[in-house]
Structures are given as C-alpha cells and as structure tokens.
Amino acid sequence: AILLDCGEGTYFQMCRRFGRLGTNKIVRDELSLIWISHMHADHHLGLLKILVERKGLDDKLSIVAPRAMLPFLREFEGTDNRIRNMYAFACCNFDDAACIPVDCVKKNTENVINMNQIPSNRFVSEDIILKRTKKCLGLASLNCVRVNHCFDAFGLVLEWNSGFKLVYSGDTEPCDALVKAGMNANVLIHEATLDDEKVVEAREKRHSTVSEAIKVGKEMKARKIILTHFSQRYPKIPIINSSDPVPHSTNDDNINLEDSSLIEKNGTNVMVAFDLMSLTLDQMEWGHHLLPVLQTLFNGEGGQDED
C-alpha cells in the first residue's frame, strides 16, 4: 500500500474506516511507502503516529518527502525514540530528474537492497527506495513534479508495470509541469480548495478552484478526475451548480457536472472525495453518477472559514 500525504488524525480516520485491527494490518503489514507533497501541517503531522504504530517491526518504512521532513523527524526522535530506525528517507526532488525509472539502479548500490541496513539519519539513494517500491507495488516509475504552491511542493505521477497511471496534485494552483508529466493518466486526484468565485484568493494562496482542477484534468486527458482538499468553509461535498462553466481550450459546450453524458462527451468523468471514502477501479466507471446524490446528502454540512 501507498499513503499519499498523512495529515493529523490519519491513523484514527483509518480506524474509523477499517477498524483498529484492519488499520494495524494495513499500517504494519501492507504499507510500503508514505509520500509527502509539502511541509504544511495538514499534509504531514499524522506521519509520526503511523511510525509509532509500526514500532517493533524489522522492516523499515520508505518515506519520500521534501528535504525539510528529515530534520523534523530527527527532532522528534530526540523526544521519542519509538520511531528511531523505523524509516528510510529519500527527497522528493531526487536528482531533479524528470522521471526516474525503477529499474535504474546505480552499480554501487545494486546490492544494497536490505533497507534495515540503512541508518535513518541520512538521505537514502532514490534508486534503493524505488527498487524496493517496485518489488512491493509493481511500479514502473515514480515521478515527483514540482508544483506551484509553497517552497518545495510536489505532485506525484505513479505508473505501474501494467500501464495504469495515477496522478496526485498535492496542493497547487494549475501547473503545466504536472499536466505534461501526467498526460493520459487513468486517474487524476486534484485539489479543488476553493469555489469558482474565489479565483483571486486562489491565486493569492496558490490553490485551485473546482473549475481549474477540472480544466487541468481535461488538458491532461485524464480518464477520471477525483476532486479533493475542499476548504472547510464549504459543505463536505462542494456545491457545483449545473450552470457552472468549466473553462477549457476547445469549442465544446460548458460541462454540466450533473449531466454525465456531457461529461463523457468531453472525455472526463468527475468525482468528489469525502472523508472515509473508499473507491475501487470498477467503481470509478460509474462513480460520477453519484455526484448529485452526494451533494444532497451532505447539503448544509459546512464548516468554519479558514485562513
């Protein structure tokens, strides 16, 4: 299993969804890699609890994150030794390569496969991380793409040996580099923090609006789009009016998200994520039809404003 970002409360949300026994099985037996997009607290504070719950395991957990994550982990080790030697770390930017094939292993590290021999207090060759990831997850490539948010913010493109391609935006405003790297993705998971009336605020905070996230998916030619990371000022399912235009570069009519035939005509199926949501690949084929139902179900469950 792979965990993409790990905000505060991640472990307990998993317990709510899978139960304590099921969560421990995932965390201790199935989790191979945690990938952190950037150093904002809502994307990484839950990492420490995951590491603590793995105490006693011989197998190190691979962590790929921005460079600043390592001193954060080392500082925590100074007050709680339960996570000491529990992880192997690599930077998101690797060697600033555009894409690093998993099979590309340097000769001087070819035999260094046992992660338990790697101390946690130094950076690990990305090739070692990726070789181990291939063995566990069947990945062909793991591409970290710099995106337009804060310093050292990244999106992720994962491609499996089967050809399946998944793109995760992390936090970002629309980013051409991510579109290019994720072209023809099977699934795009993209943040949609703000509604379309907050474009100016989106630029100030370097986030995306709902329509901008969908536009990215269209430009990427993504087969499925899952919108996530909605502002707490909105209901748990964002309000997407049938009249909301979706900007794009073609001459097609505006997309009505409640009209699945129009979505399919434009080559895009749009879904929204919510807490405790589980989705199989088969369910993605028809999941977009549930959008109007979900909007009705969560109507009025808004939160307070955020900075």
Side-chain angles (χ1 to χ4, degrees), residues 21-230:
L21 292 178
T23 297
N24 285 339
K25 183 177 187 301
I26 294 171
V27 169
R28 296 180 64 86
D29 300 337
E30 301 175 8
L31 188 61
S32 301
L33 172 69
I34 295 181
W35 185 88
I36 304 296
S37 62
H38 63 291
M39 291 300 294
H40 285 170
D42 60 323
H43 289 259
H44 74 77
L45 277 188
L47 175 60
L48 300 175
K49 175 63 174 175
I50 298 294
L51 289 173
V52 166
E53 291 298 323
R54 288 176 56 87
K55 182 182 178 182
L57 295 180
D58 294 329
D59 194 26
K60 291 182 185 293
L61 179 64
S62 299
I63 299 174
V64 177
R67 185 175 296 268
M69 177 57 70
L70 185 60
F72 172 83
L73 291 171
R74 298 300 292 172
E75 182 72 18
F76 186 78
E77 287 182 29
T79 60
D80 190 333
N81 63 8
R82 288 178 295 175
I83 72 168
R84 187 166 297 164
N85 295 320
M86 294 298 298
Y87 59 90
F89 186 91
C91 291
C92 277
N93 60 310
F94 295 143
D95 293 325
D96 287 326
C99 187
I100 304 174
V102 175
D103 287 328
C104 182
V105 179
K106 298 175 183 177
K107 292 181 179 180
N108 62 348
T109 62
E110 190 170 4
N111 295 322
V112 186
I113 300 173
N114 185 357
M115 302 295 285
N116 304 312
Q117 299 175 356
I118 304 169
S120 295
N121 61 354
R122 69 174 179 84
F123 294 109
V124 177
S125 165
E126 63 273 13
D127 294 324
I128 300 173
I129 292 281
L130 294 177
K131 185 168 184 177
R132 182 177 187 250
T133 301
K134 176 188 177 181
K135 179 180 178 181
C136 295
L137 302 167
L139 285 176
S141 64
L142 186 157
N143 180 7
C144 299
V145 182
R146 288 191 182 275
V147 295
N148 305 325
H149 189 52
C150 62
F151 174 75
D152 252 9
F154 296 87
L156 179 66
V157 180
L158 295 173
E159 189 162 2
W160 277 259
N161 293 325
S162 64
F164 184 87
K165 191 173 186 179
L166 182 143
V167 180
Y168 172 59
S169 71
D171 280 10
T172 183
E173 60 186 353
C175 177
D176 291 340
L178 188 66
V179 171
K180 181 178 179 180
M183 191 61 66
N184 298 312
N186 295 87
V187 177
L188 166 64
I189 304 172
H190 202 289
E191 71 119 293
T193 303
L194 298 162
D195 68 24
D196 295 338
E197 297 177 353
K198 302 286 185 180
V199 175
V200 174
E201 184 177 344
R203 292 294 76 74
E204 291 173 349
K205 297 182 177 181
R206 309 194 82 173
H207 281 296
S208 296
T209 66
V210 170
S211 289
E212 287 174 335
I214 297 171
K215 181 183 177 182
V216 168
K218 286 179 60 63
E219 293 176 345
M220 190 182 291
K221 300 181 180 179
R223 188 159 183 262
K224 307 290 180 184
I225 299 174
I226 302 176
L227 304 179
T228 189
H229 198 272
F230 308 114

